[in-house]
């Protein structure tokens, strides 16, 4: 028989960290971190963006692809504190890498808490 304290603790962990209880073991949800690197042969790393949200990742890649395909400069601005402008000539010379990595939700919570400090 589960105690009230155990039930409250399990509910708290589910709300706070997205943990599930399966077969009396607590299993962590996994999140996918997506990273985009744009590296110029002469100037080095121009852009390094990391996304947890699939939609933001797809939008960023779509903007980058459109700039290359149509011969435009790459511009993006979030309206607050993030602005990037890469001229098309430099962008065409760049190596563009995408990488995904599976991480636990506890790692995500720790990383976000470090960013907020």
């Amino acid at each position: 028989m589960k105690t009230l304290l155990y039930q409250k603790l399990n509910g708290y962990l589910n709300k706070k960290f997205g943990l599930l209880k399966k077969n009396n073991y607590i299993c962590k949800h996994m999140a996918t971190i997506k990273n985009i690197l744009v590296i110029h042969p002469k100037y080095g790393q121009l852009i390094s963006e990391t996304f947890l949200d699939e939609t933001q990742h797809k939008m960023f890649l779509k903007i980058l692809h459109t700039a290359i395909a149509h011969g435009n400069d790459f511009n993006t601005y979030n309206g607050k504190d993030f602005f990037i402008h890469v001229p098309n000539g430099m962008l065409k010379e760049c190596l563009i890498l995408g990488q995904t990595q599976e991480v636990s939700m506890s790692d995500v919570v720790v990383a976000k808490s470090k960013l907020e400090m």
Side-chain angles (χ1 to χ4, degrees), residues 70-89:
H70 294 288
N72 299 329
D73 294 347
F74 175 70
N75 296 306
T76 185
Y77 177 57
N78 73 352
K80 184 179 170 186
D81 58 358
F82 176 76
F83 177 77
I84 295 175
H85 172 83
V86 180
N88 189 312

Side-chain angles (χ1 to χ4, degrees), residues 26-37:
I26 296 177
C27 302
K28 299 178 184 178
H29 282 292
M30 298 299 285
T32 304
I33 293 180
K34 296 150 193 80
N35 192 19
I36 300 171
L37 288 172

Side-chain angles (χ1 to χ4, degrees), residues 106-117:
S106 60
D107 293 336
V108 173
V109 170
V110 169
K112 282 186 176 182
S113 67
K114 288 180 181 177
L115 289 175
E116 291 175 357
M117 289 182 177

Side-chain angles (χ1 to χ4, degrees), residues 10 13-14 17-22 25-29:
N10 194 26
L13 290 174
N14 280 328
F17 300 107
L19 299 176
L20 286 176
K21 183 181 172 294
K22 291 183 182 176
Y25 296 104
I26 296 177
C27 302
K28 299 178 184 178
H29 282 292

Side-chain angles (χ1 to χ4, degrees), residues 35-40 44-51 56 59-61 63-64 67 72-88 90-91 94 96:
N35 192 19
I36 300 171
L37 288 172
V38 177
I39 303 169
H40 191 271
Q45 182 175 314
L46 299 178
I47 300 170
S48 176
E49 285 301 312
T50 304
F51 300 96
Q56 290 179 345
M59 286 176 58
F60 194 86
L61 282 177
I63 294 169
L64 191 58
N72 299 329
D73 294 347
F74 175 70
N75 296 306
T76 185
Y77 177 57
N78 73 352
K80 184 179 170 186
D81 58 358
F82 176 76
F83 177 77
I84 295 175
H85 172 83
V86 180
N88 189 312
M90 285 180 68
L91 193 59
C94 290
I96 301 170

